[in-house]
Amino acid sequence: MSRKMPDEAYEEFKQVAGENNVSIEPEVLETYTYMNGLAQGAMGFHWNRKPIGVVLPSTLEEVRKILEICTRYGLKFKAHSTAWVIMALATSGNVVLLDMRRMNNLEINERDFFLITESYPPAGVAQIEAMKKGLQPHLVGAGPNASNLASATSMQGTGGTSVRTSMNERNVLAVEWVLPTGEVLKLGSINTPGAGWFCGDGPGPSLRGMMRGAVGQVSGNGVFTKVALKLYPWYGPEYKGGGEPPFFNSEEVPNSYLKYVLWDSFDDEAEGLYRLGEAEIIDYNNRWAAGAFTSAMTTSNQEYLDAEAAGKYKEMFGKGFWTFFMHAPSERSLKHRIKVFEKIVSDTGGEIADPMIFGKRSYEIALQNAVRAIWIAKAAYMPTSANTGSMPMTYENIDQCFKYALPISVNAKKEYANQDKILNEGADNCYACIDEDGHYIHIEHACLIDTWEPKGEPGGAAMVGMAKALSKGMGLLYMSWPGSLKDFIVYLQYSAQIQSMIDPNGIADSSGTMGASYLAT
Amino acid sequence: MSLSDYHYEVSHCHRCSYCKFVPFQVMKSRRFFQGCPSIAFRNFHSYAAGGRVILALSIIEGRLKEYTETLAKIVFECTMCGACQVQCRTYNYNLNPIEVMQELRTHLIENGQLIPEHLMVIDGLKREDNVFGEPKADRNRWLEGLEIKDINTEKADVLFHPGCRTCYDEEFWDNARAAVTILQNAGVDVGTAGKEDSCCGGRAYEMGYKGELVNYAEALAGRIKASGATKLVTPCADCYGTFKAYFPIVGQELDVEILHTSEMYDRLIKEGRIKLKKEIPMKITYHDPCKLGRRGEPGIPWEGEYKRVEPHIFAPVPEKPVKLGLGGCYEPPRDVLKAIPGVELVEMERNRIHSWCCGAGGGAMEAFEDLSTWTALERIEEAKSTGAEVMVTACPWCERNFRDAIKEAGGGFEVFDVTEFVREAMGG
Ligand SMILES: Cc1cc2nc3c(=O)[nH]c(=O)nc-3n(C[C@H](O)[C@H](O)[C@H](O)COP(=O)(O)OP(=O)(O)OC[C@H]3O[C@@H](n4cnc5c(N)ncnc54)[C@H](O)[C@@H]3O)c2cc1C
């Protein structure tokens, strides 16, 4: 049951954040109740729990006071950054949402290779500023519109550059964190006066693991107000685009190499990936199949259908393909990398294709993915606008994913696609990237669905895929979650214990952890 | 089309926030990364196109049953600049936020949820045929002393449409007279509609009063037909966008070529009929008025519905025209300015289809002054950041709003019209 915000609490919120930055108006709250696209949204449940209020804090102190008010009045809270994902919305009846939009500061520390970001700045904005200084942050596959802080502290963290820039949870240095009790916890070097933001640990035991668990606690552990994140070299010049949307024209990136690679079998694919990873030459990688490619290449649903009917993308990319991007500090270094790249691809039976193969559009898509993570999410949503996701999503080793999990997933999906329960865009519509030079791989298997489709059966394929994977002992492989259901439940129990320790009044609105909310979907 | 006809579109918003930002391919800095003035000013998601789309869905699905003042404030506290449309369409091709927002406005008005300040405008408009409610008889004071044909009594090749802002804001009379004189000196056969001249109806439409637009469109189409003019020329971007984009949408294509004065100058300069001899040694920047630029893109009427064309694929049948603003007028004013000796034209970060609004449109200037002023000052900051000495634009509404905002902020920057530069460069 949704409650109403107590009048006194409302007054106090207004005193803290300013009258214009608090709303309990039903029309405003309505706009914080809807989400389409993934998880429940993709299942047709566009409308979620309505918060009882939304507050827009602008400082650490305001956040602290807001959580204190929540505690005093027995209200729950949830913070979000850009709210690109359904976990950003309220899940219980008396939630005050902290929309962190006004916490928008960003600082680049050029000398020490890190940035300090508040909650809101979209990752793409951070990247634009960093590139001016020859640096780049990690961008997740969600795209440049998602917040780096949210990704690093609270949810997931992988993307096509993870091969070079790691996963966002590993990029976290010092953190400013408001616990649900309103206490401020500073992780890492900022806890030592004058030491700055350069380090995530110390003094004492590291708490970064507790902060996000395996995947992020989706605001269940408090509110993060500032985080320092590692930056990586960008050999310049800054990326520049112009021309006409939606494909635009990018200026050429000097000393870079952009190619597609196609392998014939999952075995060869896995071998190629291991070796490319080991060689430490790749700066961006992304696997797509024909479905995602068609979504990215087209500008209307009719055009999508026409492209499907023409069949040339399916013919070329039916078994999936990879985009690889290398960006070197010098021409000589690039030449060396290209040699290594070509040798590995050839040794593993791969075929190299030029991204211009389907014209300027396909080149732009590949390049903009590589340098700004622009097209992944579009391909995950169009033409249906929803994706019931992925079965199983994994964050494990390449063998497990390609030789075992993906075939299970592809077969499970076939049954559903053939009956039109999901879009039949080819059974393999797997998105993947290798992380940290191939030590890990992240895969997601798209199941597109239009919620208006009468035959649609959202979630079914994902569930069947998951069940089949579980029966083969691979189950819940998602990020660093334990694979078996039994171990996963232990993980959830640990998470819940940590949460009850740092949130003794139980005011964080989180369906336990990211894990629990995942299971709930 | 009615609001419920947008059900498919509004239930296919991804909540990605692209409507808030300049597209990431062309974004240049954190300082100027925002694309939508309304959300940038208010911060609640409600004030982004995405938020309004959710409200539309909520109304269509019967969740929001009451039309309240808050709802009206959210819907109308927006300049209708159309940046969201360009930004959304770079990503999602099943949604047209600007259409949804226009339809929401019309829907609220039809359901009696009015904005009092807008109602005053509409009352004045109905009474006096102008958006200020000023006496109709004063409409032509701007052309006193000017020799110009009256199309009611003489034929003219070009019908000059000044627009309400020009007619009733004395600060722009000089410009309008200069525009006519420049054209006449270049040998253009110009006339005005004399006592028949009236509002274009565009601002009323954006305030949700579609009927007013239809009336004014019909009247103007009739006048043009009777006059035999081949061109309709206006110095007002607001009117230009109305003629080009809105008239066709309400079924009133004008049977003439529609040109902004800057387009006419550009043509005449290139034909050698206007000579810009005098040097103006100045670094300037140009502001794209929304209704000349992305919202001046020719409107293409569409009647149809989203149909299930294949399992899981719903497509608009017939295909819906894509609105990305590419058909707007961007280069002619720039070419005119660049043709002036001594002028150095520098671009702001957000330009052409990605331009930041001046804040005057969509009824914001009339009812939401804070948003309007803030939006203008943001643009002035952007203009200053280029190192330009002044900003030049091509719409009296933009100029009015900029000048007022600058004055309110204590001065320190100037805004001019393209016509002022042309006149000066022609030797004054
Ligand atoms: C289409 C799509 C594709 C995606 N692909 C990827 C991908 O490839 N890789 C990947 O890593 N992720 C992916 N994601 C998920 C992604 O991690 C998040 O969407 C994104 O990183 C988070 O940024 P955001 O600004 O949207 O966060 P939000 O949606 O605002 O928040 C995400 C979660 O973090 C919490 N949170 C946010 N800010 C704070 C804060 N200041 N304090 C406490 N809690 C907070 C929220 O409560 C929420 O639970 C995808 C999401 C979508 C919708």
Side-chain angles (χ1 to χ4, degrees):
Chain A
M1 258 264 296
S2 279
R3 283 169 43 186
K4 203 180 149 285
M5 166 98 72
D7 292 344
E8 301 81 0
Y10 180 47
E11 286 309 314
E12 289 188 33
F13 284 130
K14 283 198 287 190
Q15 273 168 25
V16 168
E19 192 154 355
N20 289 335
N21 299 311
V22 184
S23 179
I24 54 168
E25 290 154 317
E27 300 81 358
V28 171
L29 303 185
E30 187 76 346
T31 64
Y32 286 87
T33 308
Y34 166 92
M35 189 76 74
N36 187 13
L38 289 182
Q40 298 100 302
M43 307 210 186
F45 302 113
H46 294 158
W47 300 106
N48 292 258
R49 298 303 292 265
K50 191 175 279 196
I52 59 168
V54 180
V55 189
L56 298 159
S58 68
T59 62
L60 166 73
E61 194 48 23
E62 286 179 17
V63 171
R64 222 181 52 66
K65 287 183 177 159
I66 289 165
L67 297 199
E68 281 176 1
I69 298 169
C70 287
T71 306
R72 253 198 319 280
Y73 290 93
L75 307 174
K76 292 200 168 215
F77 75 89
K78 179 172 252 184
H80 72 230
S81 296
T82 75
W84 178 206
V85 79
I86 200 153
M87 288 79 178
L89 299 183
T91 64
S92 45
N94 59 341
V95 175
V96 175
L97 281 183
L98 278 75
D99 178 340
M100 304 292 282
R101 220 185 112 84
R102 292 172 72 221
M103 298 199 64
N104 191 21
N105 287 310
L106 174 77
E107 232 177 273
I108 308 284
N109 184 325
E110 189 177 350
R111 199 195 63 175
D112 298 326
F113 277 41
F114 64 79
L115 61 79
I116 306 171
T117 180
E118 288 189 334
S119 191
Y120 194 73
V125 174
Q127 191 200 40
I128 284 161
E129 293 301 336
M131 274 188 175
K132 290 176 185 167
K133 302 187 167 167
L135 296 167
Q136 60 171 328
H138 172 57
L139 256 63
V140 297
N145 48 327
S147 145
N148 257 334
L149 176 141
S151 156
T153 60
S154 308
M155 196 181 166
Q156 210 171 318
T158 45
T161 57
S162 283
V163 65
R164 176 72 66 221
T165 59
S166 190
M167 291 81 76
N168 246 348
E169 70 268 34
R170 301 236 212 196
N171 288 318
V172 177
L173 302 171
V175 181
E176 190 180 83
W177 173 8
V178 185
L179 299 177
T181 52
E183 288 163 89
V184 178
L185 183 57
K186 294 187 172 181
L187 300 190
S189 48
I190 45 168
N191 223 353
T192 306
W197 289 76
F198 69 94
C199 179
D201 295 318
S206 173
L207 298 178
R208 280 188 296 173
M210 255 174 64
M211 173 181 87
R212 60 170 268 156
V215 189
Q217 305 292 46
V218 292
S219 197
N221 281 352
V223 182
F224 301 97
T225 45
K226 237 187 208 180
V227 59
L229 296 171
K230 282 181 206 167
L231 291 171
Y232 297 83
W234 171 259
Y235 302 120
E238 60 197 274
Y239 166 80
K240 282 206 182 94
E244 292 183 4
F247 297 101
F248 297 94
N249 291 321
S250 305
E251 281 183 14
E252 209 178 301
V253 181
N255 290 328
S256 72
Y257 176 88
L258 180 68
K259 291 286 181 230
Y260 292 153
V261 175
L262 298 90
W263 279 284
D264 239 1
S265 71
F266 288 148
D267 282 357
D268 289 345
E269 194 165 351
E271 182 61 18
L273 293 175
Y274 274 123
R275 288 191 50 192
L276 285 172
E278 271 164 19
E280 299 186 5
I281 52 172
I282 303 298
D283 289 288
Y284 171 87
N285 74 117
N286 168 46
R287 182 192 197 270
W288 265 353
F293 185 74
T294 313
S295 300
M297 285 287 282
T298 49
T299 61
S300 72
N301 285 9
Q302 191 54 54
E303 205 184 328
Y304 177 92
L305 285 176
D306 295 345
E308 276 263 286
K312 53 185 180 174
Y313 302 151
K314 225 171 222 168
E315 198 180 308
M316 176 95 183
F317 296 139
K319 288 186 175 167
F321 71 103
W322 286 82
T323 303
F324 291 107
F325 176 73
M326 301 191 288
H327 186 208
S330 68
E331 207 181 320
R332 192 158 163 257
S333 159
L334 184 70
K335 267 191 187 149
H336 162 74
R337 290 198 201 186
I338 294 172
K339 250 192 195 161
V340 176
F341 179 84
E342 287 175 345
K343 165 105 176 63
I344 293 173
V345 174
S346 151
D347 284 356
T348 52
E351 182 194 330
I352 296 176
D354 191 322
M356 281 293 279
I357 186 161
F358 291 116
K360 191 82 170 69
R361 278 189 189 187
S362 59
Y363 167 79
E364 284 298 340
I365 290 166
L367 182 64
Q368 290 169 25
N369 265 343
V371 299
R372 199 142 286 171
I374 299 229
W375 294 86
I376 302 291
K378 182 191 172 196
Y381 277 172
M382 303 309 290
T384 64
S385 296
N387 184 343
T388 74
S390 328
M391 67 305 162
M393 297 163 89
T394 77
Y395 196 5
E396 286 293 321
N397 64 54
I398 295 170
D399 268 339
Q400 213 161 8
C401 285
F402 271 94
K403 295 186 181 164
Y404 308 112
L406 191 53
I408 294 174
S409 177
V410 167
N411 285 332
K413 189 176 162 187
K414 253 185 210 154
E415 289 169 36
Y416 275 72
N418 287 341
Q419 297 170 56
D420 296 331
K421 291 176 176 173
I422 53 177
L423 178 71
N424 192 353
E425 86 290 45
D428 177 354
N429 197 5
C430 164
Y431 151 74
C433 58
I434 58 168
D435 308 318
E436 294 189 346
D437 292 322
H439 301 162
Y440 297 97
I441 189 167
H442 176 83
I443 73 168
E444 296 185 24
H445 200 174
C447 296
L448 297 178
I449 182 158
D450 194 300
T451 48
W452 281 41
E453 169 59 41
K455 290 187 183 171
E457 198 179 306
M463 290 304 157
V464 168
M466 191 104 69
K468 287 192 174 167
L470 265 172
S471 70
K472 299 217 155 113
M474 280 183 292
L476 295 153
L477 303 175
Y478 175 55
M479 309 289 283
S480 333
W481 281 343
S484 79
L485 193 54
K486 191 166 146 259
D487 291 342
F488 184 66
I489 287 168
V490 173
Y491 163 78
L492 289 185
Q493 284 165 345
Y494 270 121
S495 296
Q497 275 174 29
I498 291 170
Q499 248 179 346
S500 57
M501 188 181 75
I502 61 176
D503 182 18
N505 306 311
I507 65 160
D509 173 53
S510 152
S511 13
T513 64
M514 170 67 194
S517 69
Y518 180 83
L519 278 188
T521 64
Chain B
M1 299 278 288
S2 70
L3 190 61
S4 56
D5 294 327
Y6 286 93
H7 195 187
Y8 182 85
E9 292 201 18
V10 295
S11 62
H12 285 71
C13 167
H14 305 157
R15 221 284 188 201
C16 62
S17 291
Y18 271 67
C19 57
K20 297 168 187 167
F21 313 131
V22 173
F24 286 93
Q25 288 95 332
V26 291
M27 188 186 283
K28 293 189 178 66
S29 75
R30 189 177 87 82
R31 175 63 186 89
F32 301 115
F33 82 103
Q34 309 254 24
C36 162
S38 185
I39 174 83
F41 183 64
R42 284 276 167 226
N43 286 309
F44 288 107
H45 181 63
S46 331
Y47 290 85
R52 297 189 179 101
V53 159
I54 295 173
L55 290 173
L57 180 64
S58 183
I59 291 170
I60 294 168
E61 294 192 348
R63 286 170 59 90
L64 269 188
K65 294 189 179 74
E66 276 178 57
Y67 299 101
T68 60
E69 270 179 37
T70 310
L71 180 64
K73 178 170 152 41
I74 296 171
V75 170
F76 285 97
E77 196 170 6
C78 157
T79 62
M80 294 294 277
C81 73
C84 55
Q85 173 71 21
V86 175
Q87 291 150 196
C88 174
R89 284 300 300 217
T90 62
Y91 176 75
N92 181 354
Y93 47 68
N94 283 331
L95 177 59
N96 290 283
I98 195 70
E99 285 182 26
V100 174
M101 290 179 351
Q102 179 63 51
E103 211 50 61
L104 252 180
R105 288 173 169 228
T106 309
H107 183 84
L108 287 197
I109 297 305
E110 284 170 0
N111 284 278
Q113 189 57 57
L114 315 169
I115 297 283
E117 292 85 347
H118 290 174
L119 191 59
M120 276 168 57
V121 172
I122 301 302
D123 281 348
L125 183 65
K126 285 183 174 158
R127 213 177 46 242
E128 304 288 350
D129 280 333
N130 67 77
V131 291
F132 304 106
E134 294 287 329
K136 187 169 168 61
D138 289 349
R139 190 162 184 103
N140 284 324
R141 281 183 55 208
W142 70 274
L143 49 72
E144 274 165 22
L146 199 68
E147 291 239 340
I148 185 165
K149 285 180 178 173
D150 180 337
I151 59 150
N152 300 300
T153 52
E154 287 174 273
K155 293 253 177 262
D157 185 47
V158 166
L159 172 59
F160 188 86
H161 175 93
C164 298
R165 171 58 66 186
T166 297
C167 291
Y168 291 98
D169 189 334
E170 255 188 271
E171 206 170 310
F172 298 102
W173 290 1
D174 204 26
N175 264 354
R177 279 201 285 261
V180 169
T181 312
I182 291 167
L183 297 181
Q184 286 174 331
N185 289 345
V188 178
D189 178 21
V190 195
T192 70
K195 62 180 184 352
E196 296 296 320
D197 187 46
S198 65
C199 179
C200 65
R203 292 186 89 78
Y205 180 56
E206 289 181 356
M207 291 173 188
Y209 298 84
K210 191 173 174 180
E212 306 307 312
L213 175 69
V214 174
N215 293 343
Y216 285 112
E218 276 171 10
L220 182 60
R223 272 200 300 281
I224 286 176
K225 206 163 188 191
S227 75
T230 65
K231 295 179 192 68
L232 175 63
V233 173
T234 179
C236 176
D238 224 48
C239 301
Y240 177 92
T242 301
F243 301 146
K244 280 240 166 169
Y246 296 162
F247 276 21
I249 298 293
V250 296
Q252 202 55 256
E253 288 272 5
L254 295 179
D255 199 14
V256 279
E257 190 183 8
I258 299 158
L259 293 161
H260 185 262
T261 38
S262 60
E263 286 175 297
M264 272 305 268
Y265 301 152
D266 183 42
R267 216 176 256 191
L268 296 167
I269 291 166
K270 284 171 182 160
E271 288 171 5
R273 290 161 68 187
I274 291 179
K275 297 215 175 348
L276 306 173
K277 294 169 289 198
K278 189 176 157 200
E279 195 167 330
I280 308 180
M282 208 182 249
K283 188 168 171 178
I284 65 172
T285 190
Y286 173 73
H287 165 79
D288 290 279
C290 305
K291 297 277 295 284
L292 184 61
R294 62 186 163 236
R295 303 226 62 208
E297 177 171 64
I300 304 171
W302 182 81
E303 283 293 333
E305 58 178 315
Y306 278 81
K307 286 199 171 135
R308 179 177 181 266
V309 283
E310 273 196 12
H312 295 277
I313 309 255
F314 292 73
V317 179
E319 271 237 69
K320 206 169 177 181
V322 175
K323 286 196 184 114
L324 276 168
L326 298 171
C329 166
Y330 304 103
E331 297 318 313
R334 287 180 168 79
D335 286 351
V336 169
L337 294 169
K338 282 191 270 186
I340 298 172
V343 161
E344 183 193 348
L345 180 66
V346 285
E347 291 292 348
M348 285 183 268
E349 284 189 16
R350 296 170 291 189
N351 60 61
R352 298 181 173 82
I353 58 170
H354 311 297
S355 182
W356 178 260
C357 178
C358 75
M365 195 182 190
E366 291 81 355
F368 301 100
E369 219 177 292
D370 290 352
L371 167 69
S372 222
T373 304
W374 178 84
T375 304
L377 291 176
E378 275 291 293
R379 190 59 163 168
I380 297 299
E381 284 308 308
E382 191 176 353
K384 284 182 183 167
S385 77
T386 63
E389 293 159 70
V390 301
M391 177 157 79
V392 181
T393 186
C395 176
W397 289 96
C398 299
E399 282 152 41
R400 176 78 282 140
N401 204 41
F402 283 136
R403 288 176 191 173
D404 290 351
I406 292 168
K407 197 166 158 197
E408 208 177 308
F413 201 69
E414 281 184 290
V415 178
F416 294 95
D417 191 276
V418 174
T419 296
E420 290 173 279
F421 266 67
V422 172
R423 180 175 57 180
E424 181 70 15
M426 286 173 77

